């Protein structure tokens, strides 16, 4: 049986259109999914939209439309973004799917039956944009939300509560026994210190809201949107493929990829909820940083948003994928800008890699009429020129190891060092000189064969990052007679 690998993105709120931050997480998860498929594993990659709750209901009312209408309109935009990013998701979940809603009711009824739900009165400060209750130490000056800078609302209502406090010990044990279940380490420490600070019970339902999943034991309530949303990771498997249930094959999830804004939900509430329902826990939560524009987190509500559709229009999805993973170390915050994007495109994609590919194919076409002798063309690392072989030894294993740790930028850097090594090899060996001397025909075969093989190795490893251009190049490398190709990354006119 091949191993299975299940990776998810957060499900995005449909209160506005997608922006580059959403694209970022989807791209990262896609790189992992594609890499694991290359390893021959059974992969399931899930993304989708979070459609219930106040953030969506409020945005709809502000626009004078029903929540369902706004949800339908924006879910389409998120759904359309995935393929434009080159994302290979196996399913797109919407939390308004009736199958999801039924599963939420089923799982939470179980949590209720297991004795982890009770009635109580909630009193405290609430941010409707976060759909989150704020503890005293999380409130900014002027009674404001530290993330959205809007004034918090004082809420007092009868709710059903989830007995999070009963999971104090089980969660401490989880953190102690599985030190890499949250990564990077700083995020693990942050989550653990939240747990150690003492868990308090949290509202599970809301009484006065109607835009949500009705509570099966009391239909006057809907579930608090976060419990509905988190369960998407579990519910999707039960209906993504009509007629079959993938839960046994893919649950528990291998990795949830999120940003640090939703750390607590995924690293505290989520495992507690699963334990309460008697379900297995995900293997890992990987928490990446924020893409920053002018030093602040890009966010729909702050209005400082960079449009991923426009970037793809000009440079193509591969370039965007590459830029985001290359320029911002995955796991940390980092600034992005059009200038840095254009610089990387030109110097790395067009020059380092695109030129290497064009040059190599052009030389084989020119000096060898598109065909290398069989020995030189045999595509294995063992037949690489010893001058280069050492630098390529163990590369695929190293890249796999880094991607297993979700160090996506470091893995890309390992590959890129070899792209540069191949360029240096061309300069060192100067095949154009060898071509002038018939006595050195064997040397020329060896050099061209090594270049072809090296190019193939880096191209296969780059495939998860640059799916479209590497497919084009691999098709050209596999042709019975090699011919020059159009530039993989053509010059792009400056933005007007
Ligand atoms: O929080 N930099 O949805 P959301 C990097 N529906 N990543 C960013 C980003 C930025 N500037 N901005 C957004 C929600 N993201 C809930 C999630 S999951 C069960 C429910 C990405 O639309 C990042 O992945 O606000 C972040 O965690 C997510 O979008 C938040 O998306």
């Amino acid at each position: 049986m091949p191993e299975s690998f299940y990776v998810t993105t957060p499900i995005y709120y449909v209160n506005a259109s997608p922006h580059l931050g959403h694209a970022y997480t989807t791209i990262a998860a896609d790189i992992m999914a594609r890499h694991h498929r290359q390893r021959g594993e059974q992969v399931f990659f899930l993304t989708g939209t979070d459609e219930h709750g106040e953030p969506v209901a409020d945005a709809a009312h502000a626009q004078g439309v029903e929540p369902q209408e706004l949800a339908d309109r924006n879910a389409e935009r998120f759904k359309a973004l995935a393929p434009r990013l080159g994302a290979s998701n196996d399913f797109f979940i919407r939390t308004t799917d009736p199958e999801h809603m039924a599963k939420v009711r089923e799982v939470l009824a179980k949590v209720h039956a297991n004795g982890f739900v009770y009635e109580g009165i909630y009193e405290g400060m609430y941010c409707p944009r976060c759909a989150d209750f704020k503890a005293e130490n999380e409130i900014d000056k002027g009674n404001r939300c530290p993330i959205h800078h809007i004034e918090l609302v004082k809420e007092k209502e009868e709710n059903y509560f989830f007995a999070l406090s009963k999971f104090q010990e089980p969660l401490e044990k989880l953190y102690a026994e599985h030190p890499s279940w949250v990564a990077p380490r700083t995020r693990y420490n942050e989550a653990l210190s939240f747990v150690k600070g003492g868990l308090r019970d949290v509202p599970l339902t809301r009484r006065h809201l109607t835009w949500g999943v009705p509570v099966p034991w009391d239909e006057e309530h809907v579930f608090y949107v976060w419990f509905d949303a988190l369960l998407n990771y579990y519910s999707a498997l039960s209906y993504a493929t009509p007629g079959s249930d993938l839960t046994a094959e893919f649950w528990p999830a291998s990795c949830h990829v999120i940003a640090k804004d939703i750390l607590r939900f995924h690293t505290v509430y989520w495992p507690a909820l699963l334990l309460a329902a008697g379900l297995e826990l995900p293997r890992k939560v990987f928490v990446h940083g924020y893409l920053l524009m002018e030093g602040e987190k890009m966010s729909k509500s702050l209005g400082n948003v960079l449009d991923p559709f426009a970037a793809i229009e000009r440079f193509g999805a591969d370039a965007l994928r590459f830029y985001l993973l290359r320029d911002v170390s995955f796991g940390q915050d980092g600034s992005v800008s059009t200038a840095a994007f254009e610089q990387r495109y030109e110097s790395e994609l067009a020059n380092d890699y695109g030129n290497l590919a064009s040059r190599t194919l052009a030389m084989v076409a020119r000096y060898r009429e598109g065909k290398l002798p069989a020995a030189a063309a045999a595509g294995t690392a063992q037949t690489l020129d010893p001058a280069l072989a050492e630098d390529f030894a163990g590369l695929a294993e190293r890249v796999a190891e880094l991607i297993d740790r979700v160090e996506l930028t470091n893995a890309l850097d390992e590959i890129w060092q070899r792209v540069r090594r191949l360029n240096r090899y061309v300069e060192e060996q100067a095949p154009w000189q060898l071509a002038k001397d018939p006595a050195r025909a064997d040397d020329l075969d060896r050099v061209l064969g090594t270049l072809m093989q090296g190019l193939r190795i880096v191209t296969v490893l780059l495939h998860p990052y640059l799916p479209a251009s590497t497919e084009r190049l691999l098709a050209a490398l596999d042709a019975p007679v090699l011919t020059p190709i159009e530039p993989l990354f053509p010059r792009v006119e400056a933005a007007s």
Side-chain angles (χ1 to χ4, degrees), residues 166-210:
K166 290 196 181 166
F167 296 91
Q168 183 74 39
E169 262 178 51
L171 289 188
E172 286 189 18
K173 189 160 168 270
L174 166 70
Y175 277 81
E177 287 175 1
H178 301 279
S180 63
W181 109 271
V182 178
R185 192 70 190 175
T186 47
R187 301 297 162 216
Y188 169 95
N189 290 337
E190 205 175 306
L192 178 59
S193 85
F194 184 85
V195 173
K196 288 245 166 95
L199 297 176
R200 287 191 302 178
D201 297 345
V202 289
L204 174 69
T205 71
R206 312 279 331 259
R207 189 180 203 141
H208 301 298
L209 300 183
T210 50

Side-chain angles (χ1 to χ4, degrees), residues 9-17 19-26 48-52 55 78 95 129-130 148 225-226 228-233 257-263 265-266 288-293 296-300 304 333-334:
T9 72
I11 47 171
Y12 307 117
Y13 282 132
V14 288
N15 54 351
S17 313
H19 63 72
L20 199 65
H22 302 121
Y24 185 49
T25 315
T26 301
T49 42
D50 186 356
E51 307 192 4
H52 290 130
F78 280 97
T95 53
R129 292 267 181 73
C130 294
H148 295 98
V225 64
W226 269 101
D228 164 0
L230 286 163
L231 279 166
N232 91 87
Y233 301 131
V257 185
I258 62 167
K260 59 189 184 180
D261 50 345
I262 52 181
L263 173 87
F265 295 105
H266 285 80
H288 66 67
Y290 289 150
L291 296 182
L292 307 170
M293 294 280 295
E296 242 193 306
K297 180 194 170 212
M298 267 184 296
S299 131
K300 288 170 279 209
N304 58 347
D333 291 352

Side-chain angles (χ1 to χ4, degrees), residues 52-60 126-129 131 155 206 209 211 225:
H52 290 130
E54 262 173 321
V56 177
D58 288 353
Y126 180 79
C127 171
R129 292 267 181 73
E155 294 271 355
R206 312 279 331 259
L209 300 183
W211 181 239
V225 64

Side-chain angles (χ1 to χ4, degrees), residues 139-373:
I139 300 175
D140 261 10
K141 257 223 300 274
N143 193 29
R144 285 173 189 276
C145 168
I147 297 167
H148 295 98
H149 313 316
I150 58 170
E151 209 172 323
L152 299 173
V153 188
K154 195 174 169 82
E155 294 271 355
K156 179 176 179 183
E157 65 176 30
E158 276 173 47
N159 291 324
Y160 289 93
F161 278 71
F162 172 56
L164 182 64
S165 60
K166 290 196 181 166
F167 296 91
Q168 183 74 39
E169 262 178 51
L171 289 188
E172 286 189 18
K173 189 160 168 270
L174 166 70
Y175 277 81
E177 287 175 1
H178 301 279
S180 63
W181 109 271
V182 178
R185 192 70 190 175
T186 47
R187 301 297 162 216
Y188 169 95
N189 290 337
E190 205 175 306
L192 178 59
S193 85
F194 184 85
V195 173
K196 288 245 166 95
L199 297 176
R200 287 191 302 178
D201 297 345
V202 289
L204 174 69
T205 71
R206 312 279 331 259
R207 189 180 203 141
H208 301 298
L209 300 183
T210 50
W211 181 239
V213 178
V215 172
W217 62 86
D218 185 343
E219 303 264 342
E220 267 186 36
H221 290 242
V222 296
F223 284 110
Y224 172 43
V225 64
W226 269 101
F227 290 97
D228 164 0
L230 286 163
L231 279 166
N232 91 87
Y233 301 131
Y234 180 70
S235 72
L237 296 175
S238 67
Y239 70 98
T241 304
S244 66
D245 188 325
L246 305 176
T247 313
E249 187 177 354
F250 289 108
W251 193 261
S254 313
C255 187
H256 296 308
V257 185
I258 62 167
K260 59 189 184 180
D261 50 345
I262 52 181
L263 173 87
R264 180 160 33 98
F265 295 105
H266 285 80
T267 60
V268 182
Y269 292 25
W270 180 223
L273 180 68
L274 289 167
L275 290 170
L279 295 170
E280 267 192 90
L281 303 186
R283 303 263 181 256
K284 187 190 269 303
V285 177
F286 188 88
V287 189
H288 66 67
Y290 289 150
L291 296 182
L292 307 170
M293 294 280 295
E294 292 153 15
E296 242 193 306
K297 180 194 170 212
M298 267 184 296
S299 131
K300 288 170 279 209
S301 31
L302 294 175
N304 58 347
V305 168
L306 198 145
D307 181 8
F309 289 108
I312 294 169
E313 196 66 41
R314 282 189 67 211
F315 293 92
D318 279 8
L320 180 68
R321 296 167 67 101
F322 176 81
Y323 171 69
L324 293 178
L325 271 298
R326 180 92 171 129
D327 216 33
V328 178
S329 182
F330 197 62
Q332 288 161 33
D333 291 352
S335 291
V336 291
S337 71
T338 312
F341 190 152
E342 291 180 8
Q343 161 72 26
R344 291 263 184 202
Y345 182 87
E346 196 55 40
S347 71
E348 298 192 331
L349 287 177
N351 287 347
D352 290 351
Y353 183 55
N355 271 351
L356 174 70
S358 301
R359 258 172 132 177
T360 302
L361 285 166
M363 288 191 289
V364 177
R366 184 160 168 205
Y367 303 139
R368 288 293 178 262
E369 291 169 344
K371 278 192 155 167
L372 286 174

